[in-house]
Structure formats: C-alpha cells, structure tokens
Amino acid sequence: TEKIIAGMPWARHIDITGALDITDYYRTDTHWRQEMLLPVANKIAKAMGVTVQQEGEYTKEQVERPFYGVYYGHAALPMDPEPLYLMRSELLDACSVLYYDSATNSWQPHSQVYNMDKLDGNDLYELYLSGNQPLLRIENPNAATDKELIIFRDSFGSSLAPLLVKDYAKVTLVDLRLVDYKSLNQFLTFKGQDVLFLYNTQVLNSNLSQ
C-alpha cells in the first residue's frame, strides 16, 4: 500500500479495509459478496463527496442457481455451493449499460446492470455487469447530479460499481488488463470526472512485481 500511495501523489488513498472482514467474501471464491458491500460503498462515496443508496432502498434477490466459486473446483473435496444475491433497486433497474464499439467509435447498448443471460453460463459472478469487459458505461437517467465517475477496475469492481451509481449520471468502467492504456484518449475525456482506481491485491501485487 505504501508503495502505491508513494507512486500516486496526485491521488487520495481511501482505506476500505476497516469496512471488510472475512464474512464479506465467498467461501468458495476469491470475490466479495455484493450484499455485504454497502459499508464499502458508503466509505468510498463519502470520500468522494457523493451519496449512495442505503440498505432500505434495495431488495436483496437470490438468484435461482447456486454459486460454485473458483475454489470449489480447486479443492477436490466435498464443498457446499453458496447463494449469490443481487442488490436490486428501482434506480438500478432504470439504468442502462453500454459498451464501446471500436468499429464505430461509439457507445452501443449492451445489457442491464445485472445481465440475467449469464444465468446459463459457467460463472454466475458474470451476472454483475456481464463479467470482465474492456469498457462499459452505466447511464443513470435518475442521477441526483450530472457528475460522472470513471472506475479503473478488475472483476471486483463489477459487483461494487452498481452500488456507487446514485449520484452519477454516467459511470465508466475501464479494465486495463483488457484495453491498452495508450488508447484511452480515443474513448475517454478527463474533464471534471471523479476517478477511482479499484483493484484487488492479486492484481496490484502482480503489477508491482513487474
């Protein structure tokens, strides 16, 4: 953490470790559980001067299939699957998700915040914003402000980003593992947006070692 903070003197570090414990993660997977992330979303939002929806504004919806995480296959031992929940709200249901089409140099319709087509896939975690995608944008027609947020993220950001939408008209997600940072100016303009870097420790440690 100290190395990252030192290397980004222009950024503000938001320490979310106190908002998380072991129960906020799946037993069978590396990822965190969306239904446990409101304290994290609140801490990030407070640091950025915005608000998020609170627990009473969501309906916790369990998906019909059980979740078998990455550890389930690696364990080679009997393990119970886990439930996977979506945090639903009227605000999120009204949002649309777009992807960047390099062929037309434009943002095109993609899906809803929760892509229920992924129920038929191998990884239920892809229900959150369709899983790993190079470039996505959430558009919120009922945003409390006209502010925009850019999130540089990995797969952990897929479940957290929807919880940060409330005050933002647009939330753009960029996965630098899947898109060349040198081409960012083709589809992003940095003019007054909030910017959040959100990576899990495996990604950070891998990049720091290179």
Side-chain angles (χ1 to χ4, degrees):
T1 301
E2 292 178 358
K3 187 174 182 180
I4 296 168
I5 294 173
M8 302 172 67
W10 38 267
R12 176 183 176 185
H13 177 237
I14 305 173
D15 185 1
I16 61 173
T17 54
L20 290 163
D21 63 41
I22 192 65
T23 63
D24 298 326
Y25 295 81
Y26 293 101
R27 291 180 293 99
T28 64
D29 198 77
T30 57
H31 289 99
W32 49 26
R33 298 158 51 191
Q34 189 193 47
E35 71 275 16
M36 305 297 288
L37 293 182
L38 287 178
V40 174
N42 274 298
K43 194 159 191 176
I44 293 173
K46 183 177 180 180
M48 296 194 299
V50 296
T51 60
V52 296
Q53 290 186 287
Q54 297 305 304
E55 187 172 3
E57 299 175 85
Y58 289 102
T59 300
K60 188 171 75 169
E61 176 185 308
Q62 182 176 346
V63 301
E64 59 192 52
R65 282 181 54 197
F67 178 53
Y68 296 87
V70 65
Y71 296 147
Y72 185 91
H74 292 172
L77 294 170
M79 295 181 69
D80 292 329
E82 300 176 86
L84 186 142
Y85 295 96
L86 307 177
M87 299 298 283
R88 293 277 195 184
S89 71
E90 291 184 3
L91 183 142
L92 287 181
D93 287 343
C95 290
S96 57
V97 178
L98 297 85
Y99 78 100
Y100 188 80
D101 183 5
S102 58
T104 61
N105 294 319
S106 62
W107 293 91
Q108 299 292 327
H110 182 62
S111 68
Q112 299 303 115
V113 170
Y114 301 122
N115 186 348
M116 303 310 290
D117 290 342
K118 298 297 183 178
L119 273 173
D120 297 324
N122 294 325
D123 184 2
L124 281 187
Y125 209 76
E126 291 186 347
L127 286 168
Y128 304 114
L129 292 174
S130 302
N132 293 329
Q133 301 289 330
L135 297 163
L136 288 178
R137 174 171 288 166
I138 305 171
E139 294 194 347
N140 176 13
N142 299 311
T145 74
D146 60 356
K147 293 169 66 71
E148 297 184 21
L149 171 65
I150 298 173
I151 304 177
F152 291 92
R153 56 88 181 215
D154 52 32
S155 57
F156 279 68
S158 296
S159 57
L160 180 64
L163 305 183
L164 298 173
V165 164
K166 181 179 179 180
D167 277 3
Y168 292 105
K170 295 178 181 178
V171 178
T172 302
L173 296 96
V174 184
D175 192 334
L176 290 177
R177 301 171 302 171
L178 304 175
V179 62
D180 185 356
Y181 74 92
K182 296 178 182 177
S183 64
L184 290 180
N185 61 354
Q186 296 179 21
F187 43 82
L188 291 179
T189 55
F190 296 94
K191 293 183 178 179
Q193 300 100 325
D194 290 343
V195 178
L196 177 66
F197 291 85
L198 183 70
Y199 292 100
N200 80 82
T201 54
Q202 291 178 324
V203 172
L204 287 176
N205 290 335
S206 173
N207 289 334
L208 287 172
S209 65
Q210 296 177 3

